[in-house]
Amino acid sequence: MIYLTRKAEFAASHYYHNPEFTPEENQRVFGKCNNPNGHGHNYTLEVTVKGEIDPRSGFVVDLKQLKGVLTREVLDAMDHRFLNREVPEFANQIPTTENLAIAIWQRLEPKLKAAQLHRVRVYETPDLFVDFYGEA
Amino acid sequence: MKAYLTRRYMFSASHRLHNEAMSAQENLDTYGKCNNPHGHGHNYMLEVTVSGQVDPSTGMVCNLADLDGFVHRDILERVDIQNLNTLPEFQSEVPTTENLCTVLHEILQRGFTEAHLEKVRLEETMMNSFEYTGGNERIW
């Protein structure tokens, strides 16, 4: 099994708010991230796929295709967007890095053909990242 | 859904690698420049990985403020700008980054209960790093 990782970057804004919490509870749990005007990050996405090497091409996956899927499914939808308002997954869930990694996995997984998705890693900042492996 | 959250922290500390049970020559052969009696220092990068179900009400594995608070109070305040050889944990163990990794894993394992501890990773310099999972092996 060979693992291949492709990186991409996107910039987006978000804020954390649970409508079922009181304002005080939102403030206590989410702190500064609760500001309804939002704030932004430069996200780095790392997508790792796995598979056997195709003996004819020598590839585990065609990088051009992988890049195309990443661009269409993730970057076009999220780059320079306000995640809470413009990405449908976050209409009713909080756009934390955890939920972002899960949403990106769910967007990519059905679109990948040759290789199998192994890991989605989302860096919110260089000091904070979340990994999702498709585990329930 | 289960997710893995990793947070990075920096600290600076000095140490000397020296084992009292070895002869002076053996210490020098084993530890080289790191055996310098006056010690030397590093900018360490600590990476803590925790896992758990993403709480639907917060979207989080655990509250980052709680993890940061624990690491600052129980680790960084004890090791940052310190000489590792003076810590109780290194009175009978050599403060290699391997041993520091297991010591920090133990502190987190014992004290941070809001999420499952997966891994402690330490970079001693940009050229070398160490990981300890407490025996739980998986492909990252």
Side-chain angles (χ1 to χ4, degrees), chain B residues 58-83:
Chain B
T58 61
M60 297 171 178
V61 163
C62 68
N63 198 314
L64 197 56
D66 296 338
L67 178 61
D68 284 353
F70 181 86
V71 171
H72 279 101
R73 201 176 49 249
D74 285 65
I75 295 179
L76 300 182
E77 280 183 19
R78 295 189 57 219
V79 298
D80 189 31
I81 320 292
Q82 298 293 326
N83 180 333

Side-chain angles (χ1 to χ4, degrees), chain A residues 3 16 18 21 29-30 94 96 98-99 102 106 118-119 125-133 135-136, chain B residues 1-8 47 49 53-54 56-64 119 138-140:
Chain A
Y3 296 77
Y16 294 171
N18 184 335
F21 290 173
V29 175
F30 300 123
I94 303 163
T96 56
E98 289 91 327
N99 280 335
I102 294 169
Q106 288 169 341
H118 172 68
R119 184 185 75 194
T125 69
D127 292 334
L128 176 67
F129 62 87
V130 167
D131 292 325
F132 184 62
Y133 294 84
E135 291 169 279
Chain B
M1 303 264 187
K2 182 182 182 185
Y4 300 74
L5 178 134
T6 301
R7 182 71 156 155
R8 291 162 71 101
E47 213 175 78
T49 302
Q53 289 294 315
V54 178
S57 71
T58 61
M60 297 171 178
V61 163
C62 68
N63 198 314
L64 197 56
K119 188 170 70 165
R138 57 170 289 135
I139 293 174
W140 295 88

Side-chain angles (χ1 to χ4, degrees), chain B residues 8-11 43-47 121-124:
Chain B
R8 291 162 71 101
Y9 307 90
M10 306 288 295
F11 63 93
N43 295 324
Y44 292 90
M45 193 288 300
L46 164 65
E47 213 175 78
R121 181 170 170 272
L122 269 176
E123 289 179 13
E124 186 184 63

